[in-house]
Amino acid sequence: GLPRLPEDGPWAAAVRERGTGDGGGVAVEAPIGREASTGGASRGRMAVAADGKSASSVVHLHAHSPAHGLTLASVDLHTGRQHQIRVHTLLLGAPVANDDLYDPRGAPAVRAALGAAAGGLSRGRVLLHACRMRVSHPCDGSAPLDVRAPLPTDIRSIVSRLWPGIGVDPAAWP
């Protein structure tokens, strides 16, 4: 893949069971490596690991839906480790919603709680989306490419139904 540059984001996410903060964000500085306890190499899980690579994120909590047990979040990445957002939000006690790999007990509850609001959210559809990513130019590494993508239809529908007044542009979330 293309080398990513620091300061990616925001990434949009719905996380489980975490109320809103003051909008300032929660900084997470925790190294990430393969999870040894479950044979991480075979299952693909990563974890906070003392001997892992440094990883830095800021998690912003924007709105909470107590009825669905979900909080709307955005995450700014300062490093680009595999599964970084999933590991860091799990560390905060707020795993990314519908994540069968990192939250196997919670993911079915998310699908049940969302029901029609999710429009048939499938197993394995982690509620996480890269809104903006900066990558080195693929030909010569010159000026970075700034790639932006709006929320996909399924996440946009969930945001609109659970938090109707917040809008669907993560850069504008309070």
Side-chain angles (χ1 to χ4, degrees):
L2 298 174
R4 291 197 0 228
L5 303 173
E7 307 297 328
D8 273 358
W11 285 64
V15 298
R16 280 200 324 112
E17 300 297 338
R18 181 103 184 181
T20 57
D22 63 4
V26 178
V28 182
E29 301 282 339
I32 295 176
R34 293 245 176 245
E35 183 178 72
S37 63
T38 61
S42 62
R43 290 198 56 221
R45 278 181 59 125
M46 305 298 281
V48 172
D51 62 346
K53 294 181 179 180
S54 67
S56 175
S57 306
V58 177
V59 180
H60 303 273
L61 305 173
H62 303 284
H64 183 63
S65 173
H68 297 92
L70 295 175
T71 296
L72 183 63
S74 61
V75 182
D76 296 319
L77 295 178
H78 299 284
T79 53
R81 306 292 174 231
Q82 181 179 6
H83 295 189
Q84 180 173 329
I85 294 170
R86 295 161 83 181
V87 172
H88 281 179
T89 58
L90 183 64
L91 179 67
L92 294 175
V96 174
N98 205 40
D99 190 342
D100 288 292
L101 181 61
Y102 287 90
D103 189 26
R105 291 188 185 126
V110 166
R111 289 189 290 276
L114 285 174
L121 185 64
S122 63
R123 185 170 195 255
R125 174 50 169 121
V126 177
L127 294 181
L128 180 64
H129 173 70
C131 299
R132 175 180 177 244
M133 188 175 290
R134 293 177 60 226
V135 294
S136 296
H137 194 283
C139 295
D140 60 12
S142 63
L145 299 175
D146 192 356
V147 181
R148 297 170 189 260
L151 291 178
T153 303
D154 57 349
I155 294 179
R156 192 170 52 245
S157 174
I158 292 168
V159 170
S160 295
R161 291 180 186 188
L162 270 58
W163 303 285
I166 201 163
V168 295
D169 179 4
W173 291 344

